[in-house]
Amino acid sequence: AQKVTQAQTEISVVEKEDVTLDCVYETRDTTYYLFWYKQPPSGELVFLIRRNSFDEQNEISGRYSWNFQKSTSSFNFTITASQVVDSAVYFCALSEAQFGNEKLTFGTGTRLTIIP
Amino acid sequence: DTEVTQTPKHLVMGMTNKKSLKCEQHMGHRAMYWYKQKAKKPPELMFVYSYEKLSINESVPSRFSPECPNSSLLNLHLHALQPEDSALYLCASSHGGYSYEQYFGPGTRLTVT
């Protein structure tokens, strides 16, 4: 069965510090997709990134970067030079390549607080 | 445009009331989803519609009744709810299948009194 673990329940950092959010997943499939979502206090989940299991290239988007390592089943997310607007709950999620599968398995989330 | 809209934003209802939550997307997505999220928990999938047909029901109690009138609209009809049903209800849409990201609406915060 698939599982996503986000061991960090809450993280607080001072503004402008870098912070890494960890995500470890379990799956028996060789084909799967990984996602990160941001949920600010307003409640809406905002899609950040999608990565398939065959693409291990790291990705950078502005201050955000993602490190995907199949060898350790991890898909970590780093925010560089954090800002107060980054304060939110971040969810890592996994979907397996099964016919008709529409389900996302979410981790429990990491609450990130950026202290001004 | 990656917008999913939901109405109402907040809803308070008694246990004997009947109400409906509405969701709309205009991204041409063929899959639409209802999630329930309790405080400090991840979203829990309730229902999935694919091409306007119910494809997944995660053993949700019958007091929740989904409806997909067309490819852009998704409703969730509520009847005889319990206080433990109080939660944030999120709607999402996607191109469908396991490989596409889901786009979420802002949610309806439901309180059952």
Side-chain angles (χ1 to χ4, degrees), chain A residues 10 31-33 35 37 39 41-47 49-50 91 95-104 106-109 111, chain B residues 4 30-31 33 35 37 40-43 45 48 50 55-56 58 88 90 94 96-107 109:
Chain A
E10 296 191 23
T31 303
Y32 51 88
Y33 282 77
F35 305 83
Y37 285 87
Q39 188 172 36
S42 59
E44 178 175 353
L45 271 84
V46 178
F47 165 70
I49 190 171
R50 174 188 68 180
F91 291 99
S95 69
E96 292 177 330
Q98 298 169 13
F99 177 73
N101 180 34
E102 310 275 0
K103 298 183 186 182
L104 279 177
F106 284 93
T108 50
R111 181 176 300 275
Chain B
V4 177
R30 65 96 165 154
Y33 312 76
Y35 288 85
Q37 187 179 25
K40 299 192 176 184
K41 297 288 186 183
L45 183 66
V48 180
S50 179
S55 60
I56 295 178
E58 290 287 274
L88 180 68
L90 293 161
S94 81
Y98 59 86
S99 62
Y100 289 100
E101 62 274 16
Q102 296 177 21
Y103 291 92
F104 286 79
R109 197 161 293 280

Side-chain angles (χ1 to χ4, degrees), chain A residues 47-112:
Chain A
F47 165 70
L48 296 178
I49 190 171
R50 174 188 68 180
R51 178 55 47 118
N52 76 57
S53 53
F54 298 106
D55 181 2
E56 286 195 73
Q57 281 197 352
N58 291 333
E59 180 147 345
I60 298 174
S61 177
R63 298 185 295 106
Y64 294 172
S65 62
W66 291 268
N67 181 271
F68 176 32
Q69 293 198 338
K70 286 179 77 169
S71 60
T72 56
S73 296
S74 65
F75 186 41
N76 296 337
F77 173 30
T78 297
I79 301 174
T80 304
S82 60
Q83 298 177 3
V84 172
V85 293
D86 297 325
S87 295
V89 179
Y90 290 86
F91 291 99
C92 181
L94 164 73
S95 69
E96 292 177 330
Q98 298 169 13
F99 177 73
N101 180 34
E102 310 275 0
K103 298 183 186 182
L104 279 177
T105 297
F106 284 93
T108 50
T110 298
R111 181 176 300 275
L112 176 64

